[in-house]
Amino acid sequence: MANTETSLKEAAQIEGAIGAALVDYTSGMALGIIGGTTELDLNVAAAANTDVVRAKLRAMEALGLQDEIEDILITLGTQYHLIRLLKTRGAGGLFLYLALDKNRANLAMARHHLKRIEAELEV
């Protein structure tokens, strides 16, 4: 099992990674951050993406969908933003957030790596 710091370091090694964070979507607080740029403040992104997760959960409830969110993908012109809700024991209300450079990233491999990181993460 990996701790938050180790997991974020692994996420930062994913091809094309700009930055990653472990976020509590009940509070909007980042529990850990690695990377980022002057244009991408990961603390702000963590808080803003909390709203994305909450909105999708509300939409699923309103639609009566009895399912779980694996991940949410936001595709920008130059970046991918991947949000993976944690399902591991004791990780309720948390998600991994990964920002990727679209020109350097392999989205399928990034999703695969993030799923593996989630499985190994112990919070």
Side-chain angles (χ1 to χ4, degrees), residues 3-14 20 34 117:
N3 64 19
T4 300
E5 182 180 349
T6 301
S7 295
L8 290 175
K9 285 180 181 178
E10 286 182 38
Q13 296 303 310
I14 294 172
I34 191 165
I117 290 167

Side-chain angles (χ1 to χ4, degrees), residues 88-107:
T88 53
R89 187 172 49 88
L94 301 179
F95 67 86
L96 282 168
Y97 168 67
L98 177 65
L100 298 160
D101 179 317
K102 197 172 177 181
N103 292 321
R104 297 185 305 122
N106 177 324
L107 183 57

Side-chain angles (χ1 to χ4, degrees), residues 13 19-20 27 51 68 71-74 76 92 101 103 107 118:
Q13 296 303 310
S27 68
D51 292 335
E68 296 179 333
D71 54 41
I72 298 170
L73 171 64
I74 300 166
L76 303 178
D101 179 317
N103 292 321
L107 183 57
E118 175 208 356

Side-chain angles (χ1 to χ4, degrees), residues 30-49:
L31 305 177
I33 288 178
I34 191 165
T37 66
T38 55
E39 294 84 26
L40 181 62
D41 181 328
L42 288 175
N43 280 307
V44 173
N49 283 303

Side-chain angles (χ1 to χ4, degrees), residues 37-100:
T37 66
T38 55
E39 294 84 26
L40 181 62
D41 181 328
L42 288 175
N43 280 307
V44 173
N49 283 303
T50 293
D51 292 335
V52 171
V53 171
R54 290 177 186 162
K56 186 57 188 173
L57 289 170
R58 280 192 310 273
M60 288 176 60
E61 184 178 342
L63 293 168
L65 298 176
Q66 301 298 314
D67 211 339
E68 296 179 333
I69 299 171
E70 282 187 24
D71 54 41
I72 298 170
L73 171 64
I74 300 166
T75 304
L76 303 178
T78 60
Q79 297 175 357
Y80 294 123
H81 291 234
L82 190 55
I83 299 167
R84 179 147 188 106
L85 276 69
L86 301 187
K87 309 269 186 306
T88 53
R89 187 172 49 88
L94 301 179
F95 67 86
L96 282 168
Y97 168 67
L98 177 65
L100 298 160

